[in-house]
Amino acid sequence: MPPSPASTQSSPAPGRRVRVATFNIHHGANSRNVLNLESTAHALEALEADVIGLQEVDRFFGTRSDFVDQAAWLADRLDMHAQFAPTIDLDPSRRSVERVGISTRRQYGVAVLSRFPILESHMARLPENRLIERRAVLRARIDADGVPFAFSVTHLALGPAKSRRAQFRAAREVAFAGEEPAVLVGDLNAAPSQVRDYAVFTKGLIDVWAAKHRFPLAKRLLGRTNPVLPIPMRRIDYILASRSIRPISAKTHRTHASDHLPVVAELEIPHADPATK
């Protein structure tokens, strides 16, 4: 008997599994505010992540980070590609010129580290007001062994809440532009209990942690990332994904390398639909 038409149709190719993470590295200072970038690198290494979004990254910023280009240093230490975006960009100080040896601008911002090639990237400024620190979103297009996707990182304002929600809406427009699967990670400075903020963060998107921890007790008590000492009290670090992406796992990683815990997740990124090519 010849096979039925349904049985001859090929099933969709499985997606590409990618391990992503977010980590506010506190400019390389540990949970006791002591500079130790090697400890940061060790924590990142333990995540075994393919793509990582970093917040609070210094680039020749000052004595607090020993005038190091932290994104470049970590990329070299971990053998990863890097892209940095400054949210604060200052003229060099006399001391930085003396220490670094060149008139390098003092910068602070966000970064992407990737084991896969970064095909392109761009930064967009987020809405500001005079009361809050400048913020931005960095969007990188990643080639995960032939499966492209967008990966963005941001760090939202601590307050006021109205400004934070406006920043997220702007970051979302950048992060999820286009047809490719997309991921947005970062320190969003609001917990799920801040209902209005959380509703904006998750509208039309997957909160990967919540998707993999559905029991009320787990949702309420686990996944907290800040502060590290004495114990984490709030879940403010997120991995958000477009609905075409399938979450496989999500967890925090215990470390004292920062005042935040990193969050790491395994995701299945779908292949492009041949019909859309």
Side-chain angles (χ1 to χ4, degrees):
M1 178 182 296
S4 66
S7 66
T8 60
Q9 292 178 350
S10 59
S11 58
R16 175 76 166 98
R17 289 200 176 191
V18 176
R19 195 172 173 90
V20 304
T22 183
F23 193 18
N24 181 326
I25 67 169
H26 193 215
H27 57 267
N30 64 22
S31 60
R32 299 190 181 279
N33 204 31
V34 176
L35 179 66
N36 189 340
L37 197 56
E38 177 58 36
S39 179
T40 305
H42 183 74
L44 291 171
E45 201 167 35
L47 300 178
E48 299 182 333
D50 300 305
V51 189
I52 308 169
L54 303 179
Q55 306 90 49
E56 295 194 16
V57 183
D58 279 3
R59 185 173 187 268
F60 308 127
F61 191 80
T63 54
R64 72 178 189 182
S65 49
D66 206 21
F67 294 96
V68 169
D69 180 346
Q70 293 187 324
W73 189 94
L74 289 168
D76 182 68
R77 167 69 172 73
L78 300 172
D79 193 24
M80 300 178 82
H81 304 280
Q83 188 64 49
F84 171 81
T87 56
I88 295 176
D89 188 2
L90 304 175
D91 291 333
S93 66
R94 178 181 298 177
R95 188 166 186 178
S96 68
V97 172
E98 292 172 352
R99 184 66 180 270
V100 179
I102 56 174
S103 298
T104 304
R105 297 193 66 78
R106 302 169 57 234
Q107 297 178 324
Y108 164 89
V110 295
V112 172
L113 300 179
S114 176
R115 299 193 189 283
F116 302 119
I118 299 174
L119 302 177
E120 57 184 285
S121 66
H122 73 275
M123 181 191 81
R125 294 282 184 189
L126 301 182
E128 301 175 9
N129 68 43
R130 62 185 179 85
L131 299 176
I132 61 176
E133 179 185 304
R134 292 178 179 176
R135 306 287 176 163
V137 58
L138 172 62
R139 185 181 193 269
R141 188 164 178 262
I142 307 292
D143 178 9
D145 292 336
V147 178
F149 73 102
F151 182 90
S152 301
V153 57
T154 194
H155 185 188
L156 301 186
L158 185 60
K162 184 177 179 180
S163 293
R164 181 169 53 250
R165 292 193 291 269
Q167 288 180 344
F168 182 83
R169 291 185 182 101
R172 176 192 175 120
E173 286 186 12
V174 173
F176 296 94
E179 300 298 323
E180 290 179 342
V183 177
L184 172 62
V185 309
D187 175 356
L188 304 189
N189 265 318
S193 58
Q194 293 166 264
V195 177
R196 292 184 65 187
D197 293 62
Y198 188 69
V200 172
F201 297 166
T202 55
K203 184 178 180 181
L205 302 175
I206 299 170
D207 174 358
V208 172
W209 177 269
K212 300 309 298 179
H213 299 273
R214 295 184 180 277
F215 294 107
L217 186 64
K219 291 176 72 171
R220 189 169 70 250
L221 299 180
L222 302 180
R224 297 175 178 183
T225 55
N226 174 259
V228 169
L229 294 176
I231 60 171
M233 298 298 293
R234 301 194 303 155
R235 181 166 79 91
I236 61 175
D237 298 272
Y238 292 80
I239 297 174
L240 303 170
S242 54
R243 292 196 175 276
S244 62
I245 291 174
R246 185 168 73 93
I248 306 298
S249 65
K251 63 181 181 179
T252 57
H253 177 76
R254 189 68 183 171
T255 178
H256 285 273
S258 173
D259 61 346
H260 286 243
L261 299 182
V263 184
V264 60
E266 187 173 2
L267 308 175
E268 185 174 271
I269 310 295
H271 289 269
D273 183 350
T276 65
K277 291 185 177 180

